[in-house]
Amino acid sequence: MLAAAGLAITLVAFHPGLVTTDSIGQYEQAAAGAYADAHPPLMAWLWSLWLRVVPGAAGMLWTHAVLLWTGLLLVADGAARRGVRHAWVVIAAGFLPPILGTAGEIWKDVGMAASLLCAAGILYRASARGDGIGRGGAALALVALFYATAVRANAPAATAPVLVFWAACVWPRASWRTWCARAVAVLGLFLAAQAGIESRLLHAKRMHLAQILQTFDLAALHCAGDDVTIPPLLFQQGADAGAVCAAFDPHRVDALYFLPTSPLRLDTDRTALRALAGEWRRAIAAHPRDYLAHRLRAFAG
């Protein structure tokens, strides 16, 4: 009842889903059926399937909310099956502002977190007996883990340890080395499948997002007085290095690219990208202290 109440509150409070700049971009791709990898194409593709049933963002809101509250319910039930008193408190955690307050955002972050929680809940509940889990539970957990892996570029760092848990539940009598090896193998299959689906089935356009990191670093070094340059092809019309320093923020890259007055633009021209990568490597080698100082500032931010 508590989990059902949490699900109902999430759906009523946020219906049909709270969208921001990123989610609007994904919605446009879902509606057009044309994908790019600046945002996870698989999430946009799933959204496109929901658009055949319900307009707007409601389908994605339902998906992520069900994953979230089902995951909390399964963890609580797994704890109860292990004899934990007051296991319902696990579900109550879902009402905390950092969780409930973002549960209705149609974000890849929310999708990743909810999928990880649901997968862990499936495993935790199914393994309560201590003698492994069935094929159905193992398969369902893998589906949720694949979605979690596919919806954020840095998700493998989070899904890898959960995959170790998955291997431990499927093969409870194996060694920890076997669990780790099988988790790595499954993660490799996930990434290969994701790449194949995005490139061959969805034909997602590559946006080469590494250029954002590279130009951010070069801007920091240039504005610190070092002799580095950003390839001219990456500048907006009429912008120059002075505009880059005026917009530069050591803690975030948004002002360089994503505001109406931003001096830089994303480019897929391979000549410009190769020049950028070469200058980035040269600049780091020539100014390692300034580069590390910049990275420490960004990390602290």
Side-chain angles (χ1 to χ4, degrees), residues 20-39:
T20 61
T21 301
D22 287 358
S23 37
I24 289 171
Q26 290 180 274
Y27 171 78
E28 290 173 342
Q29 293 183 27
Y35 306 99
D37 66 359
H39 298 294

Side-chain angles (χ1 to χ4, degrees), residues 70-193:
T70 300
L72 288 168
L73 175 62
L74 291 172
V75 174
D77 193 50
R81 287 166 181 259
R82 288 168 170 83
V84 177
R85 296 181 62 190
H86 308 301
W88 59 270
V89 174
V90 171
I91 300 175
F95 292 91
L96 294 173
I99 299 177
L100 186 59
T102 57
E105 303 269 11
I106 312 302
W107 284 349
K108 48 187 175 284
D109 319 64
V110 174
M112 181 189 74
S115 300
L116 285 171
L117 176 61
C118 189
I122 292 169
L123 297 171
Y124 184 64
R125 182 186 183 279
S127 63
R129 298 188 308 271
D131 57 352
I133 64 175
R135 293 181 179 179
L140 281 174
L142 280 185
V143 171
L145 285 171
F146 177 71
Y147 181 69
T149 303
V151 296
R152 272 197 69 90
N154 60 355
T159 54
V162 185
L163 280 169
V164 175
F165 181 34
W166 174 84
C169 292
V170 176
W171 297 282
R173 295 176 179 81
S175 67
W176 67 269
R177 291 184 178 86
T178 300
W179 297 340
C180 292
R182 290 176 179 176
V184 169
V186 173
L187 183 59
L189 290 174
F190 277 1
L191 296 176

Side-chain angles (χ1 to χ4, degrees), residues 58-300:
M60 295 306 297
L61 174 66
W62 299 343
T63 300
H64 293 166
V66 167
L67 287 170
L68 169 65
W69 291 101
T70 300
L72 288 168
L73 175 62
L74 291 172
V75 174
D77 193 50
R81 287 166 181 259
R82 288 168 170 83
V84 177
R85 296 181 62 190
H86 308 301
W88 59 270
V89 174
V90 171
I91 300 175
F95 292 91
L96 294 173
I99 299 177
L100 186 59
T102 57
E105 303 269 11
I106 312 302
W107 284 349
K108 48 187 175 284
D109 319 64
V110 174
M112 181 189 74
S115 300
L116 285 171
L117 176 61
C118 189
I122 292 169
L123 297 171
Y124 184 64
R125 182 186 183 279
S127 63
R129 298 188 308 271
D131 57 352
I133 64 175
R135 293 181 179 179
L140 281 174
L142 280 185
V143 171
L145 285 171
F146 177 71
Y147 181 69
T149 303
V151 296
R152 272 197 69 90
N154 60 355
T159 54
V162 185
L163 280 169
V164 175
F165 181 34
W166 174 84
C169 292
V170 176
W171 297 282
R173 295 176 179 81
S175 67
W176 67 269
R177 291 184 178 86
T178 300
W179 297 340
C180 292
R182 290 176 179 176
V184 169
V186 173
L187 183 59
L189 290 174
F190 277 1
L191 296 176
Q194 177 187 349
I197 292 170
E198 291 178 357
S199 62
R200 298 185 180 183
L201 296 182
L202 302 182
H203 305 290
K205 180 181 179 181
R206 288 193 64 195
M207 300 303 296
H208 303 280
L209 293 185
Q211 65 185 289
I212 297 177
L213 170 70
Q214 293 167 344
T215 50
F216 181 55
D217 291 347
L218 289 178
L221 296 178
H222 173 78
C223 298
D226 295 326
D227 182 23
V228 300
T229 59
I230 298 174
L233 284 174
L234 300 177
F235 283 94
Q236 295 277 14
Q237 186 175 3
D240 57 16
V244 168
C245 291
F248 177 72
D249 179 340
H251 296 133
R252 52 188 296 174
V253 75
D254 300 53
L256 292 179
Y257 277 99
F258 305 118
L259 301 180
T261 57
S262 295
L264 300 178
R265 63 182 182 86
L266 292 173
D267 202 320
T268 57
D269 180 79
R270 294 189 178 275
T271 301
L273 294 174
R274 281 195 295 267
L276 174 63
E279 178 64 7
W280 180 69
R281 290 190 295 267
R282 186 200 68 79
I284 293 173
H287 309 284
R289 290 185 179 181
D290 286 348
Y291 172 74
L292 289 174
H294 154 64
R295 278 283 130 212
L296 287 172
R297 283 193 302 270
F299 181 77

